[in-house]
Amino acid sequence: SLDANGDKRDDTELSFVVGLTRDLGKGFSARVDYTYTNRDSNVTTAGGLKPYQYDRNVFGVRLIYSF
């Protein structure tokens, strides 16, 4: 696709994920994880904004039951 200037779209995404899981016993475990995403795009709106360029940080906490 093309941006507002007629340039071909060029996107790059870099993600990094790290997590720890701990056994709680009786089939339960807990997990904590973190995901970092860096997204870069050459798409620019007519107003000069770059809607597809961002950094994202996501933290997660999970309780897992396995049977």
Side-chain angles (χ1 to χ4, degrees):
S1 67
L2 303 176
D3 69 3
N5 299 321
D7 296 326
K8 185 177 177 185
R9 183 172 175 168
D10 183 26
D11 294 328
T12 304
E13 183 173 294
L14 171 71
S15 292
F16 174 76
V17 180
V18 63
L20 296 171
T21 303
R22 178 165 181 140
D23 184 20
L24 301 176
K26 296 189 179 183
F28 287 94
S29 58
R31 179 166 177 83
V32 177
D33 52 33
Y34 167 74
T35 304
Y36 169 77
T37 303
N38 172 270
R39 174 121 181 164
D40 191 23
S41 179
N42 69 333
V43 174
T44 305
T45 66
L49 299 175
K50 293 192 171 198
Y52 302 108
Q53 184 171 314
Y54 58 84
D55 290 326
R56 178 176 23 198
N57 296 282
V58 178
F59 296 89
V61 177
R62 295 171 176 80
L63 178 62
I64 302 163
Y65 178 70
S66 301
F67 57 94

